[in-house]
């Protein structure tokens, strides 16, 4: 079966940093408009905001465009309404950014985005595999990180939990038991 013959909706993952294949997504959408009618949108993991905006505006919003790069705030002035989070525990923080933006409070949106950036930096400072351990601290153990990321020692894990507690992370994020 050819993808174009399928009735299932298709979302393309545009991740040139991972795939090594870089092109203007707007050119692909232009060609796909008639040849791939099941294409519904794109997970856009590229820093090319201009191409993202062009994709968002093509064909009067036919395609759902999901912005993935950080900071999320950079795409909001261009009408972005869909975002991709690598880790679900960031959702309450992104929600604050969007809420401030929607209330036309740019200062509040920038402050909320900075809070999200600070949280990402804090977690990243614990090690390359720390995200899985944040989930463990919330009651969901997802197993060790994939190589080349390394597992956290028990000591590093405990230090990270203390840092997150001091930062106030657990006040805004629900634990699962």
């Amino acid at each position: 079966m050819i993808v174009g013959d399928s009735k299932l909706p298709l979302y393309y993952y545009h991740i040139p940093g991972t795939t090594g294949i870089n092109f203007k997504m707007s050119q692909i959408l232009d060609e796909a408009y008639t040849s791939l009618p099941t294409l519904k949108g794109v997970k856009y993991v590229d820093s090319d905001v201009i191409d993202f905006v062009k994709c968002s505006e093509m064909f009067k919003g036919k395609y759902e465009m999901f912005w993935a790069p950080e900071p999320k705030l950079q795409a909001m002035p261009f009408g972005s309404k869909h975002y991709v989070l690598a880790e679900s525990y960031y959702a309450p923080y992104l929600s604050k950014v969007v809420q401030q933006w929607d209330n036309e409070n740019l200062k509040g949106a920038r402050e909320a985005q900075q809070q999200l950036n600070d949280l990402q930096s804090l977690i990243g400072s614990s090690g390359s595999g720390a995200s899985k351990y944040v989930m463990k601290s919330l009651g969901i153990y997802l197993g060790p990180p994939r190589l080349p990321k390394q597992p956290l020692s028990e000591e590093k894990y405990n230090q990270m939990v203390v840092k997150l507690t001091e930062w106030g992370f657990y006040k805004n994020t629900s634990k699962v038991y």
Side-chain angles (χ1 to χ4, degrees):
M1 173 187 357
I2 298 173
V3 174
D5 292 339
S6 173
K7 302 287 185 235
L8 295 174
L10 173 69
Y11 286 82
Y12 179 76
Y13 280 39
H14 183 56
I15 313 174
T18 300
T19 63
I21 302 169
N22 198 2
F23 49 80
K24 295 288 184 194
M25 194 65 225
S26 55
Q27 293 174 333
I28 300 300
L29 291 181
D30 191 41
E31 292 178 28
Y33 185 72
T34 55
S35 62
L36 196 56
T38 58
L39 182 64
K40 300 299 179 197
V42 177
K43 175 182 176 182
Y44 199 91
V45 188
D46 189 0
S47 60
D48 187 346
V49 179
I50 294 169
D51 190 46
F52 176 82
V53 171
K54 190 173 183 180
C55 292
S56 297
E57 294 176 351
M58 290 177 80
F59 309 110
K60 298 183 177 150
K62 173 181 171 25
Y63 301 111
E64 293 180 323
M65 297 298 298
F66 293 84
W67 180 258
E70 289 296 340
K72 305 295 188 227
L73 183 57
Q74 72 180 331
M76 291 179 190
F78 302 105
S80 181
K81 296 289 183 196
H82 307 291
Y83 307 96
V84 175
L85 292 171
E87 292 83 10
S88 61
Y89 50 78
Y90 290 138
Y93 301 94
L94 176 59
S95 182
K96 288 179 188 176
V97 177
V98 173
Q99 180 182 28
Q100 293 299 317
W101 178 262
D102 287 348
N103 290 333
E104 298 180 7
N105 181 354
L106 181 56
K107 182 176 186 276
R110 284 196 311 250
E111 289 170 356
Q113 179 65 61
Q114 187 57 53
Q115 186 181 36
L116 177 57
N117 296 350
D118 292 346
L119 175 59
Q120 290 169 330
S121 294
L122 186 149
I123 292 169
S125 72
S126 296
S128 65
S131 293
K132 286 204 172 201
Y133 292 91
V134 173
M135 294 302 292
K136 177 182 175 183
S137 78
L138 294 170
I140 304 171
Y141 182 60
L142 301 171
R146 290 179 292 179
L147 293 174
K149 296 178 180 181
Q150 297 297 312
L152 297 185
S153 67
E154 194 65 30
E155 178 183 2
K156 274 249 195 211
Y157 171 75
N158 291 331
Q159 289 171 351
M160 181 190 71
V161 170
V162 167
K163 286 183 198 176
L164 288 170
T165 301
E166 290 171 352
W167 191 84
F169 173 73
Y170 297 107
K171 291 177 187 171
N172 294 312
T173 307
S174 300
K175 286 192 174 191
V176 176
Y177 296 98

